[in-house]
Amino acid sequence: MLPGHGLAMLRTRVCELFAIEHPILNAPMGGGDAPAELAAAVSEAGGLGMIGGTTIGGVDWLVEQIRIARELTDRPFGVGFISHFPQTSLLMEAALAAGVRIVAHSFADPAPFMPAARDAGARVLCQVRTVADAQRAAAAGVDVVTAQGTEAGGHTGHVSTLPLVPRVVDAVAPTPVIAAGGIADGRGIAAALMLGAEGVWLGTRFLTTSESGVSDRYKARVIEATGDDTVLTDVFDIVAGRPWPEGVSGRAIRNRFSQRWVGHEDELRAWAAEHGDEHRALGPDAEVDEQAIWAGEAAGFVTEMTSAGEVVHSLVAQADAVLRERAALVLRG
């Protein structure tokens, strides 16, 4: 048990690498969904908190978030980027200059970002959706590869977590791998560890925490939803005018907008050319019906609003119980 926590100890190479107690990371979701408060709370609970560094606030917002996180915790935390967006190098330089020594990249080749990270002595994670991208990231010299299955919320690929993770583990060994996509309870963590992952990266599970940056309407919709209520689609990106790399779409909770346009993407492109600006200007009252509620198939496990610290503690306790009890049940000798 951990002193003062009453929790079992799940120790992997990721824990040693980042000097954390539990191999649990919150996904560095974009758009302010993973602000300083969430990252600090996850880190304080023994995981690795991640600030979503790619937002409309730019460098000033990110530097302020790093300052706030440092006031809230003296434990390690990191910053993650949507790395095919044009400001990524500038944002990463700002994070490194502010003293951040853990950075994560997604949706792009990490190689161009490695020299600056290494010069600063930073650890680098790279999230991937295919084995080929995992091999590219490992060849670039990243410290950890995050294998994200299509069950994940937000932007993701088309291969499921269960077959993707062990293939990535084999392809990039000895580089540690973190599993993402569809993991929201201790059973999912235990399964990921048995697949060879060294930790887990969770987004949907942290959306409804008090420290999450999404609105209460957004949180309530996630709580109401189940895994059957999500759709992998490009419609929200089409209307937003935001291109993503080939093979990447967005998983969101079905709503009025997706029901109207999924399967009619060409018509949507024509409509967005004329009405995109007014759609993007819709106020908060239209959020859950007309804008993307990014959440994954693990939404069915999210049933209440709680704190991020409570989430981490419950996940660790559940995973420990599953690993111990299931082993005793299935291993006979």
Side-chain angles (χ1 to χ4, degrees):
M1 297 291 182
L2 287 173
H5 288 288
L7 289 174
M9 182 82 79
L10 298 177
R11 298 294 295 180
T12 70
R13 286 188 292 162
V14 164
C15 297
E16 305 300 328
L17 191 65
F18 297 124
I20 58 177
E21 295 168 357
H22 312 305
I24 296 173
L25 296 75
N26 71 280
M29 301 167 281
D33 298 355
E37 291 81 2
L38 177 58
V42 172
S43 291
E44 276 293 291
L48 181 61
M50 299 293 293
I51 297 171
T54 303
T55 73
I56 58 173
V59 167
D60 291 342
W61 180 91
L62 177 56
V63 171
E64 177 66 7
Q65 291 299 300
I66 293 167
R67 184 193 66 78
I68 293 170
R70 194 163 283 127
E71 288 183 351
L72 294 172
T73 185
D74 59 3
R75 300 190 177 197
F77 65 87
V79 175
F81 304 102
I82 300 173
S83 306
H84 71 292
F85 282 12
Q87 275 198 314
T88 300
S89 292
L90 188 63
L91 290 166
M92 191 184 82
E93 288 171 9
L96 295 173
V100 171
R101 292 298 177 261
I102 301 170
V103 295
H105 291 285
S106 295
F107 309 106
D109 181 356
F113 306 107
M114 293 302 296
R118 290 300 182 233
D119 288 347
R123 301 287 192 184
V124 180
L125 303 91
C126 183
Q127 182 177 241
V128 302
R129 281 142 289 279
T130 68
V131 172
D133 285 346
Q135 291 171 321
R136 181 179 65 175
V142 303
D143 297 286
V144 176
V145 172
T146 298
Q148 182 203 47
T150 190
E151 299 94 326
H155 289 87
T156 185
H158 296 264
V159 182
S160 297
T161 303
L162 191 63
L164 179 64
V165 170
R167 291 186 65 211
V168 170
V169 168
D170 292 344
V172 304
T175 303
V177 173
I178 289 174
I183 302 167
D185 69 355
R187 291 169 295 181
I189 295 173
L193 296 176
M194 291 301 97
L195 292 174
E198 303 276 353
V200 293
W201 165 309
L202 286 67
T204 302
R205 188 65 186 85
F206 285 106
L207 278 174
T208 65
T209 60
S210 53
E211 299 89 352
S212 164
V214 303
S215 70
D216 287 344
R217 288 187 182 92
Y218 196 126
K219 294 176 184 180
R221 186 67 188 93
V222 174
I223 289 171
E224 292 168 4
T226 71
D228 298 328
D229 295 324
T230 72
V231 59
L232 188 65
T233 179
D234 298 323
V235 296
F236 295 107
D237 294 323
I238 291 171
V239 75
R242 261 193 322 252
W244 287 77
E246 185 179 354
V248 174
S249 297
R251 185 173 298 282
I253 294 172
R254 288 186 180 88
N255 63 4
R256 188 169 61 199
F257 186 85
S258 66
Q259 289 173 341
R260 182 162 71 244
W261 292 113
V262 169
H264 303 280
E265 286 79 6
D266 288 340
E267 295 172 43
L268 174 59
R269 289 182 180 92
W271 182 87
E274 184 176 351
H275 301 286
D277 286 343
E278 71 182 72
H279 184 272
R280 289 188 287 272
L282 289 173
D285 289 344
E287 179 182 34
V288 298
D289 291 323
E290 293 292 330
Q291 297 168 352
I293 302 297
W294 303 119
E297 292 181 349
F301 294 98
V302 183
T303 59
E304 62 182 348
M305 295 190 192
T306 184
S307 73
E310 289 171 332
V311 169
V312 173
H313 293 160
S314 66
L315 290 172
V316 172
Q318 291 168 13
D320 176 74
V322 169
L323 289 167
R324 294 176 190 275
E325 293 168 9
R326 289 297 295 168
L329 286 172
V330 302
L331 293 177
R332 306 298 175 93

